[in-house]
Every structure is written in structure tokens, then in C-alpha cells.
Amino acid sequence: GAGVSQSPSNKVTEKGKDVELRCDPISGHTALYWYRQSLGQGLEFLIYFQGNSAPDKSGLPSDRFSAERTGGSVSTLTIQRTQQEDSAVYLCASSLAVAGGSYNEQFFGPGTRLTVL
Amino acid sequence: GDSVTQMEGPVTLSEEAFLTINCTYTATGYPSLFWYVQYPGEGLQLLLKATKADDKGSNKGFEATYRKETTSFHLEKGSVQVSDSAVYFCALNTGNQFYFGTGTSLTVIP
């Protein structure tokens, strides 16, 4: 079946504008994760969803960042009043719960490369 | 809290050399452990995994053994190829959360 998809693949915006990034997880995957990967850096956890709720928002860098998930499927990550330091690749991943409540692995989307001028 | 620490790079090896990338973890429960790989210009993909102590994950000639006594999951390959050039991420899963290391860049030269 289809993997995790993200759109747009590239986004160039001006400082101060709002942007919306979209993630379509694998059908049936209950967990959805957002990460940020800056040039030469590792993965920075932003937020994860279990169903439509977000038990852990601790990774969101500031109140300019928000995310939602509807219907247990598509998620959008919104960055308001973008700053140059927001430039990065934003990765989405989804995962399916297995027995015992743990997760087997994450499947990653190709990412959205955000450039803030 | 739970975390993963992996060897910093970059690592440069000649073709057919032996590879070890160290990864240690801290976890309160019994995590599953993973190695992900990111080839140039591509997304992250699972390389191998181990879900309990003493399990060995293997794929594409890479191996890693889940060592509970040393809280480690070191990645090894006996003979690297140019096509193995990539960034490698160690990760653990406990409950709903995944924790990733900072990644180790590997370059294999002919």
C-alpha cells in the first residue's frame, strides 16, 4: 500500500508569513509523529498524536508552532510568523500499535523542505 | 528520561573496511531498538531492529545485538561498500515514544 506522504515537498516563504505542512500517514496507523531535521543535525522531536489527540507537545519550539490531526488520519503542522531559524526539513512518521501497547517501527515520509527567506 | 547516545561522526572508511557505529541507550522500561538509515537525498528508512535483550537484528550485511547488560546496540558491518555511504540513526521505542540519536554520517571511499 501507499507509504507516508507529505506536501508540499518544498516550500519557500518570506519571514513573517504563515505556512501549513501536511502529512498523510499510512492507512490504519494510529500514531503520527512530527520531527524537524536541520542541516547537519539529528532529528528533533516536535509532537506526536495518538489518534486525534496529542499527549506530548513538549517538543514544539514555540507558540508559533501548532499541529492538529483529524479523523485519525491527516495531520497539519502550522508555523505562524515564520522566522529564518525555522528553515529545516520537517519529517512526518506514522506507526502502528502492536500487542502490549508498544510500537514496532516508524515509517517516514519524504519530508517537506522549508526555506524562510 | 529515556535517550539514545550514538557515536559522533563523520566517519570515513575505505571500501571493504570493518564498520562499527556505537549506540548506547537509557530507558526505564524494556525498549525496542532500531537503526535507521538515510541515504543522500532520500528519507529515513528502517535498517534493522531488535525487540528484546540478546536479539540480533540484521539486514544488508549490517548487524546489531541488543545488549541489556551494557545498554548498547552497536551497528556493525564486516565489509562496507561505497553504496553504504549514508547517515545512520540509532533509535529506541518505549510505549508511545521514539527517541533518536543525532545521527552518524558515514562516507565510504573506493
Side-chain angles (χ1 to χ4, degrees):
Chain A
V4 178
S5 61
Q6 293 185 245
S7 60
S9 55
N10 277 285
K11 177 71 177 178
V12 180
T13 190
E14 293 179 349
K15 178 182 170 181
K17 300 282 190 185
D18 297 352
V19 295
E20 212 172 75
L21 312 180
R22 177 187 167 105
C23 172
D24 274 280
I26 292 173
S27 178
H29 279 197
T30 52
L32 185 148
Y33 303 77
W34 283 99
Y35 297 90
R36 179 166 71 175
Q37 186 177 27
S38 302
L39 188 61
Q41 302 297 311
L43 271 69
E44 177 188 2
F45 167 79
L46 298 178
I47 188 171
Y48 100 91
F49 289 89
Q50 175 60 35
N52 291 334
S53 64
D56 188 349
K57 302 180 182 179
S58 61
L60 293 176
S62 74
D63 59 8
R64 296 186 294 104
F65 287 72
S66 62
E68 64 175 17
R69 188 181 186 193
T70 55
S73 181
V74 171
S75 175
T76 54
L77 176 69
T78 302
I79 309 173
Q80 295 178 308
R81 306 181 302 282
T82 52
Q83 304 295 313
Q84 288 182 332
E85 61 263 27
D86 299 335
S87 296
V89 176
Y90 290 81
L91 294 171
C92 175
S94 70
S95 187
L96 180 65
V98 295
S102 62
Y103 291 81
N104 211 9
E105 66 179 276
Q106 291 187 318
F107 294 83
F108 282 83
T112 293
R113 181 175 297 279
L114 174 66
T115 303
V116 182
L117 301 177
Chain B
D2 296 350
S3 65
V4 171
T5 302
Q6 68 178 96
M7 178 174 129
E8 287 196 22
V11 174
T12 303
L13 294 174
S14 297
E15 206 165 21
E16 299 183 2
F18 184 85
L19 169 71
T20 300
I21 301 178
N22 289 340
C23 172
T24 57
Y25 68 89
T26 301
T28 51
Y30 299 93
S32 295
L33 300 173
F34 307 85
W35 277 101
Y36 281 81
V37 59
Q38 187 174 32
Y39 297 103
E42 299 184 15
L44 273 83
Q45 55 188 276
L46 181 68
L47 179 61
L48 54 82
K49 66 182 180 186
T51 57
K52 62 183 188 296
D54 299 324
D55 269 4
K56 177 186 284 188
S58 61
N59 186 24
K60 299 182 180 180
F62 290 88
E63 292 183 341
T65 301
Y66 187 162
R67 302 279 189 206
K68 191 169 184 294
E69 63 276 13
T70 54
T71 62
S72 65
F73 193 54
H74 304 322
L75 183 68
E76 296 182 336
K77 186 172 185 181
S79 176
V80 293
Q81 305 301 310
V82 172
S83 57
D84 294 326
S85 297
V87 181
Y88 293 82
F89 293 88
C90 185
L92 72 82
N93 163 236
T94 56
N96 295 335
Q97 259 290 32
F98 284 80
Y99 300 88
F100 284 80
T102 53
T104 302
S105 175
L106 169 67
T107 301
V108 180
I109 54 178

